[in-house]
């Protein structure tokens, strides 16, 4: 038997700030797939209801408590924990829940820095010892993570093969991704055809594959890897399982990992 509740969210009354509390104004907060999944109840983090959505965003400090030592009025800050609830106009919390943002980082960049860029950086850093000239292949190449992977890889002189879905304006997307450092941009259909073999022969087999899609697309990535290469799965936008052929595990010694930025952050110190 089901019952329906109607909840109203009114203007909260704020009393005096605690000694180490800060009062914040929201400047910008993005909408990520994980935010929608959390609302749907399909994400591992399930906040107590009623709850505010949003996992990342940047805030301006409007007021600080009498013993607040980390921030001052006008500072820009980020919430440290996932599920914090950034889709709000104002907030107040302990100063220990926040991270200072350098003033020279633009608002939009600061609002989107804690999920996609950090995920991209950690995957490039933690799973293979990549050297200049090495190849990284990824699906979902035009996603937030994908575009950050392209830029970090280009800065490190790594080469990238970026797989995207076909679309009417494909050439425009290819030009856009190449303008930020992509080496090659191909469609899923191309990647699953004989033409991909010629591209791999020209560039060399990838040491690292980054999978944000799952299903058939992830199998394509696995088959491209060099012996002892690694595939890291950070998303599953196709909602299809990742299937790993036994032969690739036994004879090619491929390694398969999963990555979730929230879990990495909870296991690491603030310095990391």
């Amino acid at each position: 038997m089901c019952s329906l509740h109607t909840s109203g969210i009114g203007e909260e009354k704020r009393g005096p700030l605690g000694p180490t509390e800060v009062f914040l104004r929201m400047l910008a907060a993005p909408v990520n797939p994980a935010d929608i999944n959390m609302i749907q109840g399909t994400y591992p983090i399930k906040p107590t209801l009623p709850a505010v959505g949003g996992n990342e965003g940047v805030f301006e400090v409007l007021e600080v408590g009498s013993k607040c030592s980390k921030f001052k009025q006008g500072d820009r800050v980020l919430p440290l924990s996932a599920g914090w609830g950034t889709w709000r106009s104002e907030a107040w919390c302990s100063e220990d829940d926040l991270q200072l943002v350098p003033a020279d980082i633009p608002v939009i960049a600061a609002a989107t820095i804690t999920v996609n860029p950090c995920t991209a950086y950690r995957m490039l850093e933690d799973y293979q010892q990549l050297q200049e000239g090495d190849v990284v292949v990824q699906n979902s190449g035009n996603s937030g993570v994908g575009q950050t992977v392209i830029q970090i890889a280009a800065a490190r002189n790594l080469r990238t093969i970026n797989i995207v879905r076909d679309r009417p304006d494909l050439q425009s997307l290819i030009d856009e991704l190449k303008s930020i450092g992509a080496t090659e941009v191909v469609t899923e259909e191309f990647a699953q055809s004989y033409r991909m073999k010629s591209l791999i022969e020209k560039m060399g087999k990838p040491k690292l594959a980054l999978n944000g899609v799952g299903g058939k697309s992830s199998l394509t990535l696995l088959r491209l890897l060099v012996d002892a290469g690694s595939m890291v799965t950070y998303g599953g936008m196709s909602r299809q399982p990742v299937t790993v052929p036994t032969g690739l595990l036994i004879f090619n010694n491929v390694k398969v990992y999963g990555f979730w930025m929230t879990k990495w952050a909870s296991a690491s110190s603030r310095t990391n």
Side-chain angles (χ1 to χ4, degrees), residues 109-182:
T112 56
I113 202 171
T114 59
V115 176
N116 294 329
C118 292
T119 296
Y121 177 79
R122 292 261 54 103
M123 292 193 300
L124 288 171
E125 188 73 15
D126 294 347
Y127 295 96
Q128 282 284 345
Q129 293 185 348
L130 299 171
Q131 307 296 327
E132 288 191 9
D134 283 344
V135 179
V136 176
V137 63
Q138 64 170 341
N139 54 28
S140 198
N142 59 320
S143 66
V145 171
Q147 292 188 53
T148 311
V149 165
I150 289 170
Q151 293 173 80
I152 296 174
R156 293 177 55 182
N157 292 320
L158 303 172
R159 295 175 295 154
T160 56
I161 302 172
N162 305 278
I163 302 172
V164 300
R165 289 181 295 178
D166 199 3
R167 63 200 67 209
D169 59 342
L170 178 62
Q171 190 57 52
S172 175
L173 176 61
I174 291 173
D175 294 341
E176 179 183 348
L177 296 182
K178 286 194 172 184
S179 74
I180 62 173

Side-chain angles (χ1 to χ4, degrees), residues 14-271:
R14 180 178 68 86
L17 285 177
T20 59
E21 288 185 327
V22 293
F23 181 50
L24 309 171
R25 176 174 71 94
M26 194 268 278
L27 298 177
V31 179
N32 290 313
D35 300 323
I36 306 303
N37 294 152
M38 190 176 293
I39 293 169
Q40 293 169 330
T42 59
Y43 203 65
I45 297 175
K46 294 178 174 61
T48 302
L49 299 176
V52 178
N55 282 292
E56 65 175 343
V58 61
F59 291 78
E60 178 186 3
V61 175
L62 297 181
E63 186 181 345
V64 300
S66 60
K67 294 185 179 180
C68 181
S69 60
K70 297 179 180 178
F71 309 110
K72 64 182 184 302
Q73 186 177 5
D75 281 345
R76 292 176 181 173
V77 295
L78 305 172
L80 283 171
S81 61
W84 197 82
T86 56
W87 298 349
R88 63 178 85 196
S89 56
E90 297 176 341
W92 57 93
C93 64
S94 168
E95 64 176 349
D96 292 333
D97 296 337
L98 303 168
Q99 172 71 48
L100 182 67
V101 179
D104 59 346
I105 296 181
V107 167
I108 299 302
T112 56
I113 202 171
T114 59
V115 176
N116 294 329
C118 292
T119 296
Y121 177 79
R122 292 261 54 103
M123 292 193 300
L124 288 171
E125 188 73 15
D126 294 347
Y127 295 96
Q128 282 284 345
Q129 293 185 348
L130 299 171
Q131 307 296 327
E132 288 191 9
D134 283 344
V135 179
V136 176
V137 63
Q138 64 170 341
N139 54 28
S140 198
N142 59 320
S143 66
V145 171
Q147 292 188 53
T148 311
V149 165
I150 289 170
Q151 293 173 80
I152 296 174
R156 293 177 55 182
N157 292 320
L158 303 172
R159 295 175 295 154
T160 56
I161 302 172
N162 305 278
I163 302 172
V164 300
R165 289 181 295 178
D166 199 3
R167 63 200 67 209
D169 59 342
L170 178 62
Q171 190 57 52
S172 175
L173 176 61
I174 291 173
D175 294 341
E176 179 183 348
L177 296 182
K178 286 194 172 184
S179 74
I180 62 173
T183 310
E184 297 288 346
V185 182
V186 301
T187 64
E188 291 278 3
E189 291 76 15
F190 182 102
Q192 294 165 16
S193 74
Y194 69 92
R195 293 175 293 172
M196 192 66 171
K197 182 179 179 181
S198 298
L199 178 59
I200 295 299
E201 288 175 350
K202 181 181 74 172
M203 294 187 64
K205 289 190 173 184
K207 284 187 176 180
L208 179 66
L210 305 178
N211 170 43
V213 178
K216 190 174 181 179
S217 181
S218 60
L219 182 57
T220 297
L221 296 182
L222 279 169
R223 287 172 169 162
L224 297 174
L225 284 172
V226 69
D227 283 3
S230 299
M231 183 177 79
V232 185
T233 293
Y234 65 93
M237 295 304 293
S238 71
R239 299 189 178 183
Q240 299 297 315
V242 173
T243 303
V244 183
T246 304
L248 291 179
L249 287 173
I250 296 175
F251 305 116
N252 295 50
N253 195 28
V254 298
K255 301 172 181 65
V256 181
Y257 301 94
F259 181 83
W260 184 27
M261 189 65 222
T262 299
K263 180 166 285 188
W264 183 94
S266 67
S268 303
S269 68
R270 185 178 295 195
T271 301

